[in-house]
Amino acid sequence: MSRRIIFESSAANQKPNIEQIISVITKPIIGEICHQVIFSYGDELRLDFGEMSAYTHPKLAHLCKGSWQFGARATPWVFKQGDRILTSSLPVDIDAEIDEVEIDAVKKVLQQLENKELIDFVIDAHNISLTLVFEGDYQLILQPDFQDDSGLPYWELFMPTEQVLTVGPRFFWECKSIHER
């Protein structure tokens, strides 16, 4: 099943129902354990949930992935425990070299999510912010920047059903088969 829907709300009282729709799509990931926190392609954050397995491509066979893969792309984020900010995404400077030491330090803090259960997955229709709530009062909060004109999705969720939920840019979202182009 493929859904390609764009929500644009022009009137303040006409709120899109994206919270409920995303809630239904993501309900099966609630209760899954985050097994791996990594950065791919520089500073793009990825969390692997569910059953872990090796990649099928021979060159990647030494790496593992979760049956659920969450990726934050082109989206600033904050990692909190309770009211305390533990770390946040690094500022993007396309002209600068990626500081591997700084990324490693941020990754080390984020690894506190490993082996933690995902308790809630909440999207806010007003600004498309997303909060992943984990046991231990941990929260990963994505705060999309509507001024970003990269055209990249804010985040993606690859599911064991071979579907991908893509949100962003702006109020765009779709859920489709990974086999569709």
Side-chain angles (χ1 to χ4, degrees), residues 37-142:
V37 176
I38 63 172
F39 285 96
S40 61
Y41 306 109
D43 64 348
E44 291 184 8
L45 178 62
R46 194 179 87 209
L47 307 178
D48 288 282
F49 295 87
E51 185 179 331
M52 297 295 286
S53 61
Y55 282 89
T56 55
H57 192 282
K59 289 185 179 180
L60 301 175
H62 65 288
L63 300 174
C64 288
K65 63 178 180 171
S67 55
W68 294 86
Q69 292 182 308
F70 175 83
R73 302 179 64 198
T75 307
W77 51 263
V78 173
F79 179 47
K80 297 171 66 174
Q81 185 175 32
D83 292 331
R84 190 177 65 146
I85 295 175
L86 302 177
T87 191
S88 60
S89 54
L90 302 172
V92 176
D93 182 356
I94 59 173
D95 296 326
E97 291 282 322
I98 293 174
D99 186 340
E100 295 296 332
V101 173
E102 202 170 3
I103 287 178
D104 285 344
V106 170
K107 181 180 175 185
K108 191 170 199 142
V109 174
L110 282 169
Q111 284 177 327
Q112 293 177 74
L113 291 176
E114 291 181 355
N115 300 310
K116 297 284 188 287
E117 179 181 340
L118 181 66
I119 294 173
D120 209 351
F121 196 103
V122 182
I123 191 164
D124 183 333
H126 296 96
N127 59 12
I128 308 298
S129 68
L130 174 69
T131 302
L132 301 177
V133 181
F134 293 84
E135 68 177 299
D137 203 19
Y138 289 103
Q139 302 162 49
L140 180 64
I141 304 165
L142 281 73

